[in-house]
Amino acid sequence: MRPKKLAGATSGHFTKEQLEEKQKEEEVLYNYDRLNFNEVPNGVVPGAVGEWKRIANFIKDLPISELDQQTVIRYCNYSYLYDDAMQQLVAEGHVIEGKKNPLVDVVNSYSKELKVTASELGLTINSRLKLVKPTEVEKEKDDPFGDMLGGG
């Protein structure tokens, strides 16, 4: 079974009744208490507070509820840990005494966790496409390459 997409992100051919049903299903997502980004929860490590505040502006309109709090906390913490480990790796180098720096594995592990949590929260391009249908970008009228290709 394919993962569901929000009605506004679908591009298939649906009847009016199917779209109405889909929208009714989605309304349930907004029945939960919205996650309050004005208060930083206890689980956010001190270095991750900036990321908590930063992403609040980007995901506040998504159906992120109090139920998602732990996922947001994980994302913020892993973001901080990844940045910290990457800075250490850059300072030490990826090879130490002829061997791979153990921080390479740490950075890779944090990167994987970030990828999973970012996707769960709609922070990746692919996950956003499941939430919001991209609008067509209007083609520039003075496009010499487009004219050459017949798109003029």
Coordinates of all heavy atoms in Angstrom, one line a residue, residues 3-97:
P3 N 2.0 5.2 0.6 CA 1.7 6.1 1.7 C 0.7 7.1 1.2 O 0.7 7.5 0.0 CB 3.0 6.8 2.0 CG 4.1 6.0 1.2 CD 3.4 5.2 0.2
K4 N -0.2 7.6 2.1 CA -1.2 8.6 1.7 C -0.6 9.9 1.4 O 0.4 10.3 2.1 CB -2.3 8.7 2.7 CG -3.2 7.5 2.8 CD -4.4 7.8 3.6 CE -5.4 6.7 3.5 NZ -6.7 7.0 4.0
K5 N -1.2 10.7 0.5 CA -0.8 12.1 0.3 C -2.0 13.0 0.7 O -3.1 12.5 0.6 CB -0.5 12.3 -1.2 CG 0.8 11.7 -1.7 CD 1.0 12.1 -3.1 CE 2.3 11.5 -3.7 NZ 2.5 12.0 -5.0
L6 N -1.7 14.2 1.1 CA -2.8 15.1 1.4 C -3.5 15.5 0.1 O -2.9 15.5 -0.9 CB -2.2 16.4 2.1 CG -1.6 16.2 3.5 CD1 -1.1 17.5 4.1 CD2 -2.6 15.5 4.4
A7 N -4.8 15.8 0.2 CA -5.6 16.1 -1.0 C -4.9 17.2 -1.8 O -5.0 17.2 -3.0 CB -7.0 16.5 -0.5
G8 N -4.4 18.2 -1.2 CA -3.8 19.3 -1.9 C -2.5 18.9 -2.6 O -2.0 19.7 -3.5
A9 N -2.0 17.8 -2.4 CA -0.7 17.3 -3.0 C -1.0 16.3 -4.0 O -0.1 15.8 -4.7 CB 0.2 16.8 -1.9
T10 N -2.2 15.9 -4.2 CA -2.5 14.8 -5.2 C -2.6 15.4 -6.6 O -3.1 16.5 -6.8 CB -3.8 14.0 -4.8 OG1 -4.9 15.0 -4.8 CG2 -3.7 13.3 -3.5
S11 N -2.2 14.6 -7.6 CA -2.3 15.1 -8.9 C -3.1 14.1 -9.8 O -3.3 14.3 -11.0 CB -0.9 15.3 -9.5 OG -0.2 14.1 -9.5
G12 N -3.6 13.1 -9.2 CA -4.4 12.0 -9.9 C -5.8 12.5 -10.2 O -6.2 13.7 -9.8
H13 N -6.5 11.7 -10.9 CA -7.9 12.1 -11.2 C -8.9 11.5 -10.2 O -9.0 10.3 -10.1 CB -8.2 11.5 -12.6 CG -7.3 12.1 -13.7 ND1 -7.4 13.4 -14.1 CD2 -6.3 11.5 -14.4 CE1 -6.5 13.6 -15.1 NE2 -5.8 12.5 -15.2
F14 N -9.5 12.4 -9.4 CA -10.4 11.9 -8.4 C -11.8 12.6 -8.7 O -11.9 13.7 -9.2 CB -9.9 12.4 -7.0 CG -8.6 11.7 -6.6 CD1 -7.4 12.3 -6.7 CD2 -8.7 10.5 -6.0 CE1 -6.2 11.7 -6.3 CE2 -7.5 9.8 -5.6 CZ -6.3 10.5 -5.8
T15 N -12.8 11.9 -8.3 CA -14.1 12.5 -8.4 C -14.3 13.5 -7.3 O -13.5 13.5 -6.3 CB -15.2 11.4 -8.2 OG1 -15.2 10.8 -6.9 CG2 -15.1 10.3 -9.3
K16 N -15.3 14.3 -7.4 CA -15.6 15.3 -6.4 C -15.8 14.6 -5.0 O -15.3 15.1 -4.0 CB -16.8 16.1 -6.8 CG -17.1 17.3 -5.9 CD -18.2 18.1 -6.4 CE -18.6 19.2 -5.5 NZ -19.7 20.1 -5.9
E17 N -16.5 13.5 -5.0 CA -16.8 12.8 -3.8 C -15.5 12.2 -3.2 O -15.4 12.2 -2.0 CB -17.8 11.6 -4.1 CG -19.2 12.1 -4.5 CD -19.3 12.5 -5.9 OE1 -18.5 12.1 -6.8 OE2 -20.3 13.3 -6.3
Q18 N -14.7 11.7 -4.0 CA -13.4 11.1 -3.5 C -12.5 12.3 -2.9 O -12.0 12.0 -1.8 CB -12.6 10.5 -4.6 CG -13.2 9.2 -5.1 CD -12.4 8.6 -6.3 OE1 -12.1 9.4 -7.3 NE2 -12.2 7.3 -6.3
L19 N -12.5 13.4 -3.5 CA -11.7 14.5 -2.9 C -12.3 15.0 -1.6 O -11.6 15.3 -0.6 CB -11.6 15.7 -3.9 CG -10.7 15.5 -5.1 CD1 -10.8 16.7 -6.0 CD2 -9.2 15.4 -4.5
E20 N -13.7 15.1 -1.5 CA -14.3 15.5 -0.3 C -14.0 14.5 0.8 O -13.8 14.9 1.9 CB -15.8 15.6 -0.5 CG -16.2 16.8 -1.3 CD -17.7 16.9 -1.7 OE1 -18.5 15.9 -1.3 OE2 -18.1 17.8 -2.4
E21 N -14.1 13.2 0.5 CA -13.8 12.1 1.5 C -12.3 12.3 2.0 O -12.1 12.2 3.2 CB -14.0 10.7 0.9 CG -13.8 9.6 1.9 CD -14.8 9.6 3.0 OE1 -15.9 10.1 2.9 OE2 -14.3 9.2 4.1
K22 N -11.4 12.5 1.0 CA -10.0 12.7 1.4 C -9.8 13.9 2.3 O -9.1 13.8 3.3 CB -9.2 12.8 0.1 CG -7.7 12.5 0.2 CD -7.2 12.4 -1.2 CE -5.7 12.1 -1.2 NZ -5.4 10.8 -0.7
Q23 N -10.5 15.0 2.0 CA -10.4 16.2 2.9 C -11.0 15.9 4.2 O -10.4 16.4 5.2 CB -11.1 17.3 2.2 CG -10.2 17.8 1.0 CD -11.0 18.9 0.2 OE1 -12.2 19.0 0.2 NE2 -10.2 19.7 -0.6
K24 N -12.1 15.2 4.3 CA -12.6 14.8 5.7 C -11.6 14.0 6.5 O -11.5 14.2 7.7 CB -13.9 14.0 5.5 CG -15.1 14.9 5.1 CD -16.3 14.0 5.0 CE -17.5 14.8 4.4 NZ -18.7 14.0 4.2
E25 N -11.0 13.1 5.8 CA -9.9 12.3 6.5 C -8.8 13.1 7.0 O -8.3 12.9 8.1 CB -9.4 11.2 5.6 CG -10.3 10.1 5.2 CD -9.8 9.2 4.2 OE1 -8.6 9.3 3.7 OE2 -10.5 8.3 3.7
E26 N -8.4 14.1 6.2 CA -7.3 15.0 6.6 C -7.7 16.0 7.7 O -6.8 16.3 8.5 CB -6.8 15.8 5.4 CG -6.2 15.0 4.4 CD -5.9 15.7 3.1 OE1 -6.0 17.0 3.1 OE2 -5.7 15.1 2.1
E27 N -8.9 16.4 7.8 CA -9.3 17.3 8.9 C -9.1 16.7 10.3 O -8.8 17.4 11.2 CB -10.8 17.6 8.7 CG -11.1 18.5 7.6 CD -12.6 18.7 7.3 OE1 -13.4 18.3 8.2 OE2 -12.9 19.4 6.3
V28 N -9.1 15.4 10.4 CA -8.8 14.7 11.6 C -7.4 15.1 12.1 O -7.1 15.2 13.3 CB -9.0 13.2 11.5 CG1 -8.5 12.5 12.7 CG2 -10.4 12.9 11.2
L29 N -6.4 15.3 11.2 CA -5.1 15.6 11.5 C -5.0 16.9 12.3 O -4.1 17.1 13.1 CB -4.2 15.7 10.3 CG -3.9 14.5 9.5 CD1 -3.2 14.8 8.2 CD2 -3.2 13.5 10.3
Y30 N -5.9 17.8 12.1 CA -5.9 19.1 12.8 C -6.8 19.1 14.0 O -6.9 20.1 14.7 CB -6.4 20.2 11.8 CG -5.4 20.4 10.7 CD1 -5.6 19.8 9.5 CD2 -4.3 21.2 10.9 CE1 -4.7 19.9 8.4 CE2 -3.4 21.4 9.8 CZ -3.6 20.8 8.6 OH -2.7 20.9 7.6
N31 N -7.3 17.9 14.4 CA -8.1 17.8 15.7 C -7.2 17.7 16.9 O -7.7 17.8 18.0 CB -9.1 16.6 15.6 CG -10.2 16.9 14.6 OD1 -10.5 18.0 14.2 ND2 -10.9 15.8 14.2
Y32 N -6.0 17.4 16.7 CA -5.1 17.2 17.9 C -4.5 18.6 18.3 O -4.4 19.5 17.4 CB -3.9 16.3 17.5 CG -4.4 14.9 17.1 CD1 -4.6 14.5 15.8 CD2 -4.7 13.9 18.1 CE1 -5.0 13.2 15.5 CE2 -5.2 12.7 17.8 CZ -5.3 12.3 16.5 OH -5.8 11.1 16.2
D33 N -4.1 18.7 19.5 CA -3.5 19.9 20.0 C -2.2 20.2 19.2 O -1.4 19.3 19.1 CB -3.1 19.8 21.5 CG -4.4 19.8 22.4 OD1 -5.5 20.2 21.9 OD2 -4.3 19.3 23.5
R34 N -2.1 21.4 18.7 CA -1.0 21.8 17.9 C 0.3 21.8 18.9 O 0.2 22.2 20.1 CB -1.2 23.2 17.4 CG -2.4 23.4 16.5 CD -2.3 22.8 15.1 NE -1.3 23.6 14.4 CZ -0.8 23.2 13.3 NH1 -1.2 22.1 12.7 NH2 0.1 23.9 12.6
L35 N 1.4 21.5 18.3 CA 2.6 21.5 19.1 C 3.0 23.0 19.3 O 3.0 23.8 18.4 CB 3.8 20.8 18.3 CG 5.1 20.8 19.1 CD1 5.0 20.1 20.4 CD2 6.1 20.0 18.2
N36 N 3.3 23.3 20.6 CA 3.6 24.7 21.0 C 5.1 24.9 20.9 O 5.9 24.4 21.7 CB 3.1 25.0 22.4 CG 3.4 26.4 22.9 OD1 3.9 27.2 22.1 ND2 3.1 26.6 24.1
F37 N 5.5 25.6 19.8 CA 6.9 25.9 19.6 C 7.4 27.1 20.4 O 8.6 27.3 20.4 CB 7.2 26.1 18.1 CG 7.2 24.9 17.3 CD1 6.1 24.5 16.6 CD2 8.3 24.1 17.3 CE1 6.1 23.3 15.9 CE2 8.3 22.9 16.6 CZ 7.2 22.5 15.8
N38 N 6.5 27.8 21.2 CA 7.0 28.9 22.0 C 7.7 28.4 23.2 O 8.5 29.2 23.8 CB 5.8 29.8 22.4 CG 5.2 30.4 21.1 OD1 5.9 30.8 20.2 ND2 3.9 30.6 21.1
E39 N 7.4 27.2 23.7 CA 8.1 26.6 24.8 C 9.0 25.5 24.4 O 8.5 24.6 23.7 CB 7.0 26.1 25.8 CG 6.1 27.2 26.4 CD 5.1 26.6 27.3 OE1 5.2 25.5 27.8 OE2 4.1 27.3 27.5
V40 N 10.2 25.5 24.8 CA 11.2 24.5 24.5 C 11.0 23.4 25.5 O 11.2 23.6 26.7 CB 12.6 25.0 24.5 CG1 13.6 23.9 24.1 CG2 12.8 26.2 23.5
P41 N 10.7 22.1 25.1 CA 10.4 21.0 26.0 C 11.7 20.6 26.7 O 12.8 20.8 26.2 CB 9.8 19.9 25.2 CG 10.1 20.3 23.8 CD 10.4 21.7 23.7
N42 N 11.6 19.9 27.8 CA 12.8 19.4 28.6 C 13.7 18.5 27.8 O 14.9 18.6 28.0 CB 12.3 18.6 29.8 CG 11.7 19.5 30.8 OD1 12.0 20.7 30.9 ND2 10.7 19.0 31.6
G43 N 13.3 17.7 26.9 CA 14.1 16.8 26.2 C 15.1 17.4 25.2 O 16.0 16.7 24.7
V44 N 14.9 18.7 24.9 CA 15.8 19.3 23.9 C 17.1 19.7 24.6 O 17.1 20.4 25.6 CB 15.2 20.6 23.3 CG1 16.1 21.3 22.3 CG2 13.9 20.2 22.6
V45 N 18.2 19.2 24.1 CA 19.5 19.5 24.7 C 19.8 21.0 24.5 O 19.4 21.6 23.5 CB 20.7 18.6 24.2 CG1 20.4 17.1 24.6 CG2 20.9 18.7 22.7
P46 N 20.6 21.6 25.4 CA 20.8 23.0 25.3 C 21.3 23.5 23.9 O 20.9 24.5 23.4 CB 21.8 23.3 26.4 CG 21.5 22.3 27.4 CD 21.1 21.1 26.7
G47 N 22.2 22.7 23.3 CA 22.7 23.1 22.0 C 21.7 23.0 20.9 O 22.0 23.6 19.8
A48 N 20.6 22.4 21.1 CA 19.6 22.1 20.1 C 18.4 23.1 20.1 O 17.6 23.1 19.3 CB 19.1 20.7 20.1
V49 N 18.5 24.0 21.1 CA 17.4 25.0 21.3 C 17.3 25.9 20.0 O 16.2 26.2 19.6 CB 17.6 25.8 22.5 CG1 16.6 27.0 22.6 CG2 17.5 24.9 23.8
G50 N 18.4 26.3 19.5 CA 18.3 27.1 18.3 C 17.6 26.5 17.1 O 16.9 27.1 16.4
E51 N 17.9 25.1 17.0 CA 17.2 24.4 15.9 C 15.7 24.3 16.1 O 14.9 24.4 15.2 CB 17.8 23.0 15.7 CG 17.3 22.2 14.5 CD 17.6 22.8 13.2 OE1 18.3 23.8 13.0 OE2 17.0 22.3 12.2
W52 N 15.3 24.1 17.4 CA 13.9 24.1 17.8 C 13.2 25.3 17.3 O 12.2 25.3 16.7 CB 13.8 23.9 19.3 CG 12.3 23.9 19.8 CD1 11.7 25.0 20.2 CD2 11.4 22.8 19.9 NE1 10.4 24.7 20.5 CE2 10.2 23.3 20.4 CE3 11.5 21.5 19.6 CZ2 9.1 22.5 20.6 CZ3 10.4 20.7 19.9 CH2 9.2 21.2 20.3
K53 N 13.8 26.5 17.6 CA 13.3 27.8 17.2 C 13.3 28.0 15.7 O 12.4 28.6 15.2 CB 14.0 28.9 18.0 CG 13.7 28.8 19.5 CD 14.5 29.9 20.2 CE 14.3 29.8 21.7 NZ 15.0 30.8 22.5
R54 N 14.3 27.5 15.1 CA 14.5 27.8 13.6 C 13.4 27.0 12.9 O 12.8 27.6 12.0 CB 15.9 27.3 13.2 CG 16.2 27.6 11.7 CD 17.5 27.0 11.2 NE 17.3 25.6 11.0 CZ 16.8 25.0 9.9 NH1 16.4 25.8 8.9 NH2 16.7 23.7 9.7
I55 N 13.2 25.7 13.2 CA 12.3 24.9 12.4 C 10.8 25.3 12.7 O 9.9 25.0 11.9 CB 12.5 23.4 12.5 CG1 12.2 22.9 13.8 CG2 13.9 23.0 12.0 CD1 12.1 21.4 13.9
A56 N 10.6 25.9 13.8 CA 9.2 26.3 14.2 C 8.6 27.1 13.1 O 7.4 27.0 12.7 CB 9.2 27.1 15.5
N57 N 9.4 28.0 12.5 CA 8.9 28.9 11.4 C 8.5 28.1 10.2 O 7.6 28.6 9.4 CB 9.9 30.0 11.1 CG 10.1 30.9 12.2 OD1 9.2 31.3 12.9 ND2 11.4 31.3 12.4
F58 N 9.1 27.0 10.0 CA 8.9 26.3 8.7 C 7.8 25.2 8.8 O 7.2 24.9 7.8 CB 10.2 25.6 8.3 CG 11.3 26.5 8.0 CD1 12.4 26.7 8.9 CD2 11.3 27.4 6.9 CE1 13.4 27.6 8.6 CE2 12.3 28.3 6.6 CZ 13.4 28.3 7.5
I59 N 7.6 24.7 10.0 CA 6.6 23.6 10.1 C 5.4 24.0 10.9 O 4.5 23.1 11.1 CB 7.3 22.3 10.7 CG1 7.8 22.5 12.1 CG2 8.4 21.8 9.8 CD1 8.3 21.2 12.7
K60 N 5.3 25.2 11.3 CA 4.1 25.6 12.1 C 2.8 25.4 11.4 O 1.7 25.2 12.1 CB 4.3 27.0 12.6 CG 4.3 28.1 11.5 CD 4.6 29.4 12.1 CE 4.7 30.4 10.9 NZ 5.2 31.7 11.3
D61 N 2.7 25.5 10.1 CA 1.5 25.3 9.3 C 1.2 23.9 9.0 O 0.1 23.6 8.5 CB 1.5 26.2 8.1 CG 1.6 27.7 8.4 OD1 1.1 28.1 9.4 OD2 2.2 28.4 7.6
L62 N 2.1 23.0 9.2 CA 1.9 21.6 8.9 C 1.1 21.0 10.1 O 1.1 21.5 11.2 CB 3.2 20.8 8.8 CG 4.1 21.3 7.6 CD1 5.4 20.5 7.6 CD2 3.4 21.0 6.3
P63 N 0.4 19.8 9.9 CA -0.4 19.2 11.0 C 0.5 18.6 12.0 O 0.4 17.4 12.3 CB -1.3 18.2 10.3 CG -0.5 17.9 9.0 CD 0.3 19.1 8.6
I64 N 1.4 19.3 12.6 CA 2.3 18.8 13.7 C 1.6 19.0 15.0 O 1.3 20.2 15.3 CB 3.7 19.6 13.6 CG1 4.4 19.5 12.3 CG2 4.6 19.1 14.7 CD1 4.9 18.2 11.9
S65 N 1.4 17.9 15.7 CA 0.7 18.0 17.0 C 1.6 17.7 18.2 O 2.8 17.3 18.0 CB -0.5 17.1 17.0 OG -0.1 15.8 17.1
E66 N 1.0 17.8 19.3 CA 1.7 17.4 20.5 C 2.2 16.0 20.5 O 3.2 15.6 21.1 CB 0.9 17.6 21.8 CG 0.7 19.1 22.2 CD 2.0 19.7 22.7 OE1 2.8 19.1 23.3 OE2 2.1 21.0 22.5
L67 N 1.5 15.1 19.7 CA 1.9 13.7 19.5 C 3.2 13.6 18.8 O 3.9 12.6 18.9 CB 0.8 13.0 18.7 CG -0.6 12.9 19.4 CD1 -1.6 12.3 18.4 CD2 -0.5 12.0 20.7
D68 N 3.6 14.6 18.1 CA 4.8 14.6 17.3 C 6.0 15.2 18.1 O 7.1 15.3 17.5 CB 4.7 15.3 16.0 CG 3.5 14.8 15.1 OD1 3.6 13.6 14.9 OD2 2.6 15.5 14.8
Q69 N 5.8 15.6 19.3 CA 6.8 16.3 20.0 C 8.1 15.6 20.1 O 9.2 16.1 19.9 CB 6.3 16.7 21.5 CG 7.3 17.5 22.2 CD 6.9 17.7 23.7 OE1 6.6 16.7 24.4 NE2 6.9 19.0 24.1
Q70 N 8.1 14.3 20.4 CA 9.3 13.5 20.6 C 10.1 13.4 19.3 O 11.3 13.4 19.3 CB 9.0 12.1 21.1 CG 8.6 12.1 22.6 CD 9.6 12.8 23.5 OE1 10.8 12.5 23.4 NE2 9.1 13.7 24.3
T71 N 9.4 13.3 18.2 CA 10.0 13.3 16.9 C 10.7 14.6 16.6 O 11.9 14.6 16.1 CB 9.0 13.0 15.7 OG1 8.4 11.8 16.1 CG2 9.7 12.8 14.4
V72 N 10.1 15.7 16.9 CA 10.7 17.0 16.7 C 11.9 17.2 17.6 O 13.0 17.7 17.2 CB 9.7 18.2 17.0 CG1 10.3 19.5 16.8 CG2 8.5 18.1 16.0
I73 N 11.8 16.7 18.9 CA 12.9 16.8 19.8 C 14.1 16.0 19.3 O 15.2 16.4 19.3 CB 12.5 16.3 21.2 CG1 11.5 17.3 21.9 CG2 13.7 16.0 22.1 CD1 10.9 16.7 23.2
R74 N 13.8 14.7 18.8 CA 14.8 13.9 18.2 C 15.5 14.6 17.0 O 16.7 14.6 16.9 CB 14.3 12.6 17.7 CG 14.4 11.5 18.7 CD 14.1 10.1 18.2 NE 13.7 9.9 16.8 CZ 12.4 9.7 16.5 NH1 11.4 9.6 17.4 NH2 12.1 9.6 15.2
Y75 N 14.7 15.2 16.2 CA 15.3 15.9 15.0 C 16.2 17.0 15.5 O 17.4 17.1 15.0 CB 14.2 16.5 14.1 CG 14.8 17.4 13.1 CD1 15.4 16.9 11.9 CD2 14.8 18.8 13.3 CE1 15.9 17.7 11.0 CE2 15.4 19.6 12.4 CZ 16.0 19.1 11.2 OH 16.6 19.9 10.3
C76 N 15.8 17.8 16.4 CA 16.6 19.0 16.9 C 17.9 18.5 17.5 O 19.0 19.0 17.3 CB 15.8 19.8 17.8 SG 14.4 20.7 17.0
N77 N 17.8 17.5 18.4 CA 18.9 16.9 19.1 C 19.9 16.3 18.1 O 21.1 16.6 18.2 CB 18.5 15.9 20.2 CG 17.9 16.5 21.3 OD1 17.9 17.8 21.5 ND2 17.2 15.8 22.1
Y78 N 19.4 15.5 17.2 CA 20.4 14.9 16.2 C 21.0 16.0 15.3 O 22.1 15.8 14.9 CB 19.7 13.8 15.4 CG 19.7 12.5 16.1 CD1 18.5 11.9 16.4 CD2 20.9 11.9 16.3 CE1 18.5 10.7 17.1 CE2 20.9 10.6 17.0 CZ 19.7 10.0 17.4 OH 19.7 8.8 18.0
S79 N 20.2 17.0 15.0 CA 20.8 18.1 14.2 C 22.0 18.7 14.9 O 23.0 19.0 14.3 CB 19.7 19.1 13.9 OG 20.2 20.2 13.2
Y80 N 21.8 19.0 16.2 CA 22.9 19.6 17.0 C 24.1 18.6 17.1 O 25.2 19.0 16.9 CB 22.4 19.9 18.4 CG 23.5 20.1 19.4 CD1 24.3 21.3 19.3 CD2 23.8 19.2 20.3 CE1 25.4 21.4 20.2 CE2 24.8 19.4 21.2 CZ 25.6 20.5 21.2 OH 26.7 20.7 22.0
L81 N 23.8 17.3 17.4 CA 24.8 16.3 17.5 C 25.6 16.2 16.2 O 26.8 16.0 16.2 CB 24.3 15.0 18.0 CG 23.7 15.0 19.4 CD1 23.0 13.7 19.7 CD2 24.8 15.2 20.5
Y82 N 24.9 16.2 15.1 CA 25.5 16.0 13.8 C 26.5 17.2 13.6 O 27.6 17.0 13.2 CB 24.5 16.0 12.7 CG 25.1 16.0 11.3 CD1 25.5 14.8 10.7 CD2 25.2 17.2 10.6 CE1 26.0 14.8 9.4 CE2 25.7 17.2 9.4 CZ 26.2 16.1 8.8 OH 26.7 16.1 7.5
D83 N 26.0 18.4 13.8 CA 26.8 19.6 13.6 C 28.0 19.6 14.5 O 29.1 19.9 14.0 CB 26.0 20.9 13.8 CG 24.9 21.2 12.8 OD1 25.0 20.6 11.7 OD2 24.0 22.0 13.1
D84 N 27.8 19.2 15.7 CA 29.0 19.2 16.7 C 30.0 18.2 16.2 O 31.2 18.4 16.2 CB 28.4 18.9 18.1 CG 29.5 19.0 19.1 OD1 30.2 20.0 19.2 OD2 29.7 18.0 19.8
A85 N 29.5 17.0 15.9 CA 30.5 15.9 15.5 C 31.2 16.3 14.1 O 32.4 16.0 14.0 CB 29.7 14.6 15.3
M86 N 30.4 16.9 13.2 CA 31.0 17.3 12.0 C 32.1 18.4 12.2 O 33.2 18.3 11.6 CB 30.0 17.9 11.0 CG 30.5 18.2 9.7 SD 31.3 16.8 8.8 CE 29.9 16.0 8.1
Q87 N 31.9 19.3 13.1 CA 32.9 20.3 13.4 C 34.2 19.6 14.0 O 35.3 20.0 13.6 CB 32.4 21.3 14.4 CG 31.4 22.3 13.8 CD 30.8 23.3 14.8 OE1 31.3 23.3 15.9 NE2 29.8 24.0 14.3
Q88 N 34.0 18.6 14.8 CA 35.1 17.9 15.4 C 35.9 17.1 14.3 O 37.1 17.1 14.3 CB 34.7 16.9 16.5 CG 34.2 17.6 17.8 CD 33.7 16.5 18.8 OE1 34.3 15.5 18.9 NE2 32.6 16.8 19.4
L89 N 35.1 16.5 13.4 CA 35.7 15.7 12.3 C 36.5 16.6 11.4 O 37.6 16.3 11.0 CB 34.6 15.0 11.5 CG 35.0 14.1 10.4 CD1 35.9 13.0 10.9 CD2 33.8 13.6 9.7
V90 N 36.0 17.8 11.1 CA 36.7 18.7 10.2 C 38.0 19.2 10.9 O 39.1 19.2 10.3 CB 35.8 19.9 9.9 CG1 36.6 21.1 9.2 CG2 34.7 19.5 8.9
A91 N 37.9 19.4 12.2 CA 39.1 19.8 13.0 C 40.2 18.7 13.0 O 41.4 19.0 12.9 CB 38.7 20.3 14.4
E92 N 39.7 17.5 13.2 CA 40.6 16.4 13.4 C 41.1 15.7 12.1 O 42.1 15.1 12.0 CB 40.0 15.3 14.3 CG 39.7 15.7 15.7 CD 39.0 14.6 16.5 OE1 39.0 13.5 16.1 OE2 38.5 15.0 17.6
G93 N 40.2 15.8 11.1 CA 40.5 15.1 9.8 C 39.8 13.8 9.8 O 39.6 13.2 10.8
H94 N 39.5 13.3 8.6 CA 38.8 12.0 8.5 C 39.8 10.8 8.6 O 39.3 9.7 8.8 CB 38.0 11.9 7.2 CG 38.9 11.9 5.9 ND1 39.4 13.1 5.4 CD2 39.3 10.9 5.2 CE1 40.1 12.7 4.3 NE2 40.1 11.5 4.2
V95 N 41.1 11.1 8.6 CA 42.0 10.0 8.9 C 42.9 10.4 10.0 O 43.5 11.5 10.0 CB 42.9 9.7 7.6 CG1 44.0 8.7 7.9 CG2 42.0 9.3 6.4
I96 N 43.1 9.5 11.0 CA 44.0 9.8 12.1 C 44.9 8.6 12.2 O 44.5 7.5 12.3 CB 43.2 9.9 13.4 CG1 42.2 11.1 13.4 CG2 44.1 10.1 14.6 CD1 41.3 11.2 14.6
E97 N 46.2 8.9 12.2 CA 47.3 7.9 12.3 C 47.0 6.8 11.3 O 47.2 5.6 11.6 CB 47.4 7.4 13.7 CG 47.7 8.4 14.7 CD 47.7 7.9 16.2 OE1 47.6 6.7 16.4 OE2 47.8 8.7 17.1

